[in-house]
Amino acid sequence: MSAIESSILSADAYVQDMLRAAEAQSAIGTVSRRTFLKVTGLVGGGLVLAFYVGDKGVALANAKSTDFAPNAFLRISPEGPITLYSKAPEIGQGIKTAFPMIIAEELDADWAQVKVEQAAINPAVYGRQSAGGSRSIPTSWNQLRSAGAVGRAMLVGAAAKLWNVSEAELTTENSTVFHKASNRKATYASLATAAASLPVPDEKTVKLKSRSEYKLLGKRITGVDNRAIVTGQPLFGIDQVLPGMQYAVFVKCPAVGGKVVEANLEEIKKLPGVTQAFVLNGTGKPTEVMPGVAILAKSTWAAFSARQKLQVKWDESAASKDSWTGYVEQAKKLAAQSGPDSIRNTGDVDKVFAESKPVEAFYTYPFIAHAPLEPMNTTAVFKDGAIEIWSPTQTPEAGLKLVSDVLGIAQDKVTLHQTRVGGGFGRRLMNDYMCEAAAIAKQAGVPVKLQWTREDDMHHDFYRVGGFHSFKGGLDKAGKLIAWQDHFITFTQDGQRPTSGGDLSPDEFPAQVLPNARLTQTKLPLKIPTGPWRAPRSCSIAFATQSFLHECSVAAKRDHLEFLLEIMGEPRWLQQGNEFALNTGRAAAVIKLAAEKAGWGKPLPKGRGLGLAFHFSHAGHFAEVADVSVDANRKLTIHRIVVAGDVGPIVNMSGAENQTEGAVVDGFSAALGQQIDFENGRIKQNNFDTYSILRMPNAPKVESYFIESDFTPTGIGEPALPPVAPAIANAIFAATGHRVRSMPFTKEGYSV
Amino acid sequence: MRLNINGKDVEVTDVDETTPLLWVLRDHLGLVGTKYGCGVAQCGACTVHINGAPMRSCSVPASAVAGQKVTTIEGLASKDGKLNAVQAAWIEHDVAQCGYCQAGQIMTATALLKSNPKPTDADIDAAMAGNLCRCGTYIRIRKAIHAAAANIAKGANGEMISQN
Ligand code: FES
Ligand code: FES
């Protein structure tokens, strides 16, 4: 194996680690209180250090500041403003509004007066700093509530001292402490200096609100950056400018794994506006820096224009030769047999299939791209052995480490500024563009903004992996589903593990709730990098399993709602003691709610049908019903999609509904028309003319309903997406009797 | 070349004639509200107004608009910070997710309401079809445009305001 091949393999392992980290169910270890307070001064760069922890663990006021900042999440100034710090990247999931809402609720701050700032990237202070796996809310819920509650307790303590009354007599509301008995009140600002001199209480001793006391959480709150967005302020990575900055492009081999043999650098350097051009051999890892040619210029356009003239001779001996059509051929041949890897084998499926003829079907889904609207970019300056970076990343915490590895400098020599992110969808869990910018800035010796083109983005993604499922379903005499077989044909980079996002869990629904189930797997060799795409695995597997479940209920001549509920059975946790696992009672509740709201069972005109699908992912239970008409030319009209979800209590109702609507549009967009084709290792799609994103005229109406159960709130960026495609496919069948077994639906002749 | 941006005449030097307006705005004039999404007139993130009509600035050479009135997202609000009706509706209806497409969406919507103050859903769909939102905020965009139209009918500001 060549060096670059083994580098590519280790990159896949890295992607898998990122996916696991994103989905990890527990928060990263909590930081000691002392460290936490000591480094408070790093927060919101530019502000004076407000407090540090003295020897007795007392927060002491800095001579220059009288602000009250009991922890790194909030700061109250005697002049009035309350600043809350949001620690996670904002990628469109609304976290920059949701996180401060949680703090403000416990602090009893007046939301209208609160100022929100992006926190500094400093995991030693903040713990987990990343946006992925819909994990931000559940992993930070208690941390943020405590941060607000500690602040409130100290302000109350300060007022009690001031008025010489007991804390129990005091109440708080709208950034004010009240002593109702004596009709006295004091604003938080007026108490800030006094509060700052009190010891910080142990957060375990501080009482948190019960849900019935919430004033802010659950309401519809508009995004904190909305005004800056609608006036075009420089929020995003692409908007960053440094004095003396040059604009860079980086050109890599169109087939992953290609190395630079030679390039016409001298000619490129003479082009107008070009300042430098050089080869970077990189680390050979797609997650870091692949070999390529950097061109720097005085403007983005000069750099873009110069690359049109660039000629590179690539050594493609170790490069990808992957072919999608080749894979489809192989998969079809393998469909009839079982796979060599056994993933689950419970009961006796063969016995069931021998007793009654099984239902059989073969499902296919393609590779797809993330294509966030802001193309990859990063701005960086390397000076005196240290680097400073501005980047639209989902994983700043991981980025710090990666850049220090790639540049061979200590991690404390890397400063990373989190910018707003123009769409994540999982693409920016990888920091390849950040590493490239860092390496280019180091080599160039000037401040650099690396700008990918849309075509770069389309050609160098970590794609949602395609896959194939060869199913058999077994019914008993009463038409109950009792056996399930899936030969899953997926891909592998290292010959051992499925590629990132291409694995099938032994507990994949519905295998885990059926008495007889056999899941096997074949892995086809692949070099094209893959990675997490919004609701990884679920975004594709749900289409196959939930459509095939419907095939089984049709074969059993059963109503699909009743059939699904029967599979759920008694309300129970499928993993005892794990409240982030599937609960069949919560599942049944959302299924019933979606069906009821959609008018399940009512007669519909010819050519129109309802389709129902359920999927559990990222700790969220979601059921959706699509109401679809299909005409004689397979033109689809989506009348509406009804979504019922349970993610526990909703933090921000406006954000939750926005995510649900977005997930439906995204799910439909991908199912209908998206596919990344590749031949000889080269991606065929270049831009939005060949890679179609749903446009406004085709956006379906979405109705969202939430069951606000009392469990820990969980994330909503992903779990509403997986049921969309199967709900629509099932509706198409109900309307026409035609079964859609592959995505994108356009390949089967459907249009909108 | 001499450009008129948001009501101000500006002289841009050291720019190649073929440079798209988008990059002159972003790199030379520091007006980064106008966004790059595709560069080939497919996504609408770069939409600006040229003499009041929505145009894809990634596909118009800056030299071609010399002497014409260019309005960007930075030029919609009045100098004292008062937003136009479309911007206000975008905040009110909490349209944005990542927000990256929204400058382009707002420019297209503002131009639509100028030419068609009471658009139907179909009018909105037709006018907005060139603006992609990867986050899928279309449902809210539609609502916000209707709301802005209603507010303009009640006297709110639907104009593009020049900043000087
Ligand atoms: S950047 Fe101009 S239309 Fe996409
Ligand atoms: S809000 Fe993200 S692309 Fe529209």
Side-chain angles (χ1 to χ4, degrees):
Chain A
M1 189 185 291
S2 72
I4 195 155
E5 283 176 288
S6 56
S7 294
I8 293 174
L9 291 189
S10 64
D12 179 58
Y14 177 83
V15 180
Q16 308 230 14
D17 289 346
M18 294 306 295
L19 177 52
R20 259 193 302 280
E23 292 175 342
Q25 279 175 353
S26 58
I28 286 168
T30 45
V31 176
S32 81
R33 168 160 305 276
R34 179 155 305 193
T35 325
F36 186 72
L37 293 167
K38 255 187 193 158
V39 271
T40 305
L42 294 172
V43 171
L47 291 175
V48 258
L49 173 67
F51 292 97
Y52 64 95
V53 173
D55 284 345
K56 296 183 198 76
V58 179
L60 301 172
N62 181 294
K64 279 193 208 146
S65 171
T66 43
D67 291 5
F68 171 51
N71 54 49
F73 292 99
L74 67 100
R75 174 182 300 258
I76 302 175
S77 141
E79 282 77 49
I82 296 183
T83 309
L84 303 181
Y85 297 91
S86 177
K87 67 169 188 161
E90 174 58 66
I91 61 173
Q93 85 283 42
I95 211 70
K96 196 172 174 185
T97 307
F99 269 2
M101 279 175 71
I102 299 171
I103 305 168
E105 179 69 67
E106 291 291 347
L107 182 62
D108 260 341
D110 176 3
W111 182 255
Q113 311 273 335
V114 153
K115 216 172 97 218
V116 174
E117 282 183 19
Q118 188 72 45
I121 297 308
N122 192 334
V125 174
Y126 288 102
R128 185 186 201 265
Q129 288 191 286
S130 85
S134 292
R135 303 302 302 156
S136 291
I137 292 286
T139 54
S140 308
W141 175 242
N142 287 329
Q143 183 189 30
L144 299 178
R145 286 198 300 165
S146 299
V150 162
R152 179 187 170 277
M154 292 173 75
L155 290 156
V156 166
K161 244 180 150 178
L162 181 69
W163 296 328
N164 204 12
V165 296
S166 107
E167 291 180 11
E169 291 171 42
L170 301 176
T171 57
T172 53
E173 203 179 326
N174 282 337
S175 308
T176 309
V177 183
F178 294 88
H179 186 240
K180 295 259 160 74
S182 64
N183 210 9
R184 276 179 291 190
K185 60 178 180 179
T187 63
Y188 284 0
S190 71
L191 294 166
T193 309
S197 66
L198 297 177
V200 181
D202 182 349
E203 59 188 38
K204 287 190 203 82
T205 65
V206 173
K207 195 176 159 290
L208 299 176
K209 286 185 185 178
S210 70
R211 239 177 97 195
S212 59
E213 295 170 284
Y214 289 166
K215 297 173 196 138
L216 188 61
L217 295 186
K219 294 236 166 68
R220 288 190 175 78
I221 301 297
T222 56
V224 294
D225 278 343
N226 279 1
R227 193 185 162 93
I229 289 169
V230 305
T231 53
Q233 303 306 303
L235 292 169
F236 296 92
I238 199 172
D239 302 337
Q240 306 309 309
V241 180
L242 296 176
M245 184 178 87
Q246 296 183 4
Y247 299 80
V249 292
F250 189 56
V251 181
K252 289 167 284 193
C253 183
V256 67
K259 289 187 286 191
V260 183
V261 179
E262 56 181 22
N264 58 341
L265 297 180
E266 291 315 309
E267 190 183 322
I268 294 299
K269 285 184 202 160
K270 291 191 201 106
L271 292 172
V274 173
T275 53
Q276 303 189 40
F278 50 82
V279 171
L280 280 182
N281 290 322
T283 62
K285 296 185 189 178
T287 47
E288 296 173 354
V289 184
M290 292 300 278
V293 178
I295 302 174
L296 280 74
K298 286 196 240 160
S299 69
T300 312
W301 186 248
F304 279 12
S305 303
R307 76 178 285 167
Q308 301 300 331
K309 302 258 160 56
L310 179 70
Q311 282 164 7
V312 188
K313 190 168 163 223
W314 301 104
D315 167 6
E316 294 194 38
S317 54
S320 164
K321 307 273 184 298
D322 298 336
S323 151
W324 173 247
T325 50
Y327 288 131
V328 174
E329 287 310 307
Q330 287 183 64
K332 279 186 184 151
K333 282 189 203 129
L334 294 165
Q337 65 206 56
S338 280
D341 310 339
S342 173
I343 294 180
R344 182 189 189 98
N345 197 0
T346 42
D348 188 348
V349 289
D350 291 328
K351 184 158 166 275
V352 179
F353 297 153
E355 278 163 11
S356 71
K357 196 173 136 32
V359 187
E360 295 186 46
F362 182 72
Y363 280 81
T364 305
Y365 42 79
F367 285 63
I368 60 176
H370 297 84
L373 202 58
E374 179 188 15
M376 303 303 124
N377 64 78
T378 290
T379 302
V381 55
F382 186 88
K383 219 178 143 208
D384 304 330
I387 192 151
E388 192 169 2
I389 295 171
W390 289 256
S391 189
T393 172
Q394 288 182 245
T395 53
E397 195 184 333
L400 283 176
K401 174 158 188 340
L402 213 52
V403 168
S404 94
D405 288 352
V406 167
L407 298 190
I409 57 177
Q411 205 167 308
D412 64 6
K413 297 282 179 214
V414 184
T415 306
L416 177 55
H417 303 277
Q418 176 73 47
T419 69
R420 197 177 172 90
V421 182
F425 312 106
R427 171 61 181 88
R428 295 186 231 248
L429 292 168
M430 304 314 137
N431 287 310
D432 47 331
Y433 50 95
M434 188 197 291
C435 294
E436 289 173 1
I440 293 169
K442 185 178 176 195
Q443 166 93 24
V446 292
V448 163
K449 171 151 67 183
L450 169 68
Q451 181 61 58
W452 285 30
T453 61
R454 171 57 53 197
E455 289 79 5
D456 289 334
D457 178 73
M458 208 63 88
H459 295 164
H460 299 285
D461 198 351
F462 294 80
Y463 304 92
R464 194 284 304 276
V465 65
F468 311 87
H469 295 259
S470 180
F471 287 122
K472 278 187 192 179
L475 302 156
D476 70 8
K477 292 214 169 57
K480 184 177 179 185
L481 186 68
I482 53 165
W484 183 265
Q485 176 172 298
D486 182 3
H487 174 197
F488 176 44
I489 301 163
T490 184
F491 298 89
T492 179
Q493 306 264 349
D494 64 1
Q496 311 285 322
R497 303 185 302 178
T499 190
S500 173
D503 52 325
L504 181 70
S505 161
D507 290 335
E508 190 62 45
F509 185 82
Q512 79 211 109
V513 292
L514 298 177
N516 308 289
R518 178 162 60 205
L519 308 179
T520 64
Q521 175 177 271
T522 299
K523 303 184 295 295
L524 306 175
L526 176 81
K527 277 194 175 159
I528 288 177
T530 68
W533 191 99
R534 195 177 196 172
R537 313 172 193 92
S538 299
C539 64
S540 46
I541 291 173
F543 162 67
T545 55
Q546 291 292 321
S547 298
F548 185 64
L549 271 176
H550 187 228
E551 293 205 54
C552 292
S553 71
V554 169
K557 299 196 172 50
R558 303 265 308 274
D559 172 69
H560 192 52
L561 169 61
E562 183 226 340
F563 186 80
L564 259 188
L565 292 173
E566 181 180 80
I567 294 169
M568 291 301 163
E570 287 303 302
R572 65 202 188 281
W573 293 102
L574 291 185
Q575 281 169 34
Q576 270 313 324
N578 178 5
E579 72 159 320
F580 299 121
L582 199 161
N583 177 299
T584 55
R586 295 174 84 177
V590 294
I591 292 170
K592 283 183 202 155
L593 180 62
E596 177 207 319
K597 296 291 183 188
W600 186 259
K602 72 171 183 221
L604 289 170
K606 199 173 168 306
R608 183 166 175 176
L610 296 184
L612 167 65
F614 163 83
H615 192 78
F616 168 84
S617 70
H618 304 272
H621 297 74
F622 275 85
E624 297 175 20
V625 175
D627 180 351
V628 178
S629 287
V630 189
D631 78 5
N633 299 315
R634 294 198 169 172
K635 189 166 150 35
L636 304 172
T637 306
I638 314 279
H639 301 287
R640 62 171 174 163
I641 310 263
V642 176
V643 180
D646 178 355
V647 288
I650 299 295
V651 172
N652 179 1
M653 188 56 83
S654 179
E657 289 166 344
N658 214 349
Q659 287 306 305
T660 306
E661 290 165 6
V664 169
V665 169
D666 199 1
F668 181 38
S669 181
L672 180 71
Q674 289 170 18
Q675 165 145 25
I676 286 294
D677 280 311
F678 45 86
E679 291 301 333
N680 200 25
R682 286 163 161 75
I683 309 300
K684 289 187 181 172
Q685 283 68 25
N686 301 314
N687 206 317
F688 294 127
D689 47 356
T690 42
Y691 191 78
S692 79
I693 308 282
L694 202 73
R695 290 175 184 272
M696 177 170 290
N698 304 316
K701 201 170 136 215
V702 179
E703 286 173 32
S704 317
Y705 303 94
F706 299 107
I707 296 177
E708 294 195 66
S709 58
D710 265 316
F711 301 102
T712 304
T714 55
I716 200 169
E718 297 171 278
L721 186 135
V724 179
I728 295 171
N730 292 347
I732 291 173
F733 181 85
T736 65
H738 178 253
R739 176 57 62 183
V740 185
R741 293 197 183 92
S742 67
M743 298 198 283
F745 299 169
T746 46
K747 288 262 159 83
E748 299 218 15
Y750 290 94
S751 66
V752 284
Chain B
M1 67 184 83
R2 202 168 177 76
L3 299 176
N4 183 286
I5 316 282
N6 298 331
K8 249 188 239 153
D9 280 334
V10 287
E11 189 64 40
V12 190
T13 52
D14 201 15
V15 174
D16 181 283
E17 292 278 294
T18 61
T19 307
L21 177 59
L22 168 67
W23 296 112
V24 172
L25 291 171
R26 290 187 58 84
D27 293 352
H28 298 265
L29 298 173
L31 294 170
V32 295
T34 305
K35 293 294 190 267
Y36 165 64
C38 69
V40 293
Q42 285 289 318
C43 77
C46 64
T47 306
V48 299
H49 295 166
I50 296 174
N51 300 329
M55 300 282 269
R56 310 293 178 228
S57 66
C58 69
S59 302
V60 180
S63 55
V65 301
Q68 302 183 52
K69 281 186 180 320
V70 177
T71 309
T72 70
I73 187 74
E74 290 92 345
L76 286 191
S78 62
K79 218 177 180 180
D80 63 3
K82 199 166 168 352
L83 303 180
N84 86 358
V86 176
Q87 293 172 301
W90 245 248
I91 294 180
E92 170 97 19
H93 288 265
D94 200 21
V95 171
Q97 285 187 30
C98 81
Y100 194 77
C101 70
Q102 301 297 350
Q105 307 277 6
I106 289 168
M107 295 310 286
T108 306
T110 298
L112 164 68
L113 293 182
K114 279 281 284 180
S115 62
N116 180 356
K118 276 184 76 181
T120 61
D121 272 350
D123 296 337
I124 293 173
D125 283 356
M128 303 302 296
N131 287 79
L132 283 179
C133 177
R134 174 67 183 83
C135 301
T137 62
Y138 300 123
I139 296 156
R140 290 186 176 202
I141 290 175
R142 236 184 246 144
K143 266 192 212 145
I145 293 176
H146 283 305
N151 284 335
I152 291 167
K154 281 189 247 148
N157 185 6
E159 290 293 322
M160 306 152 265
I161 301 162
S162 299
Q163 277 194 314
N164 64 347

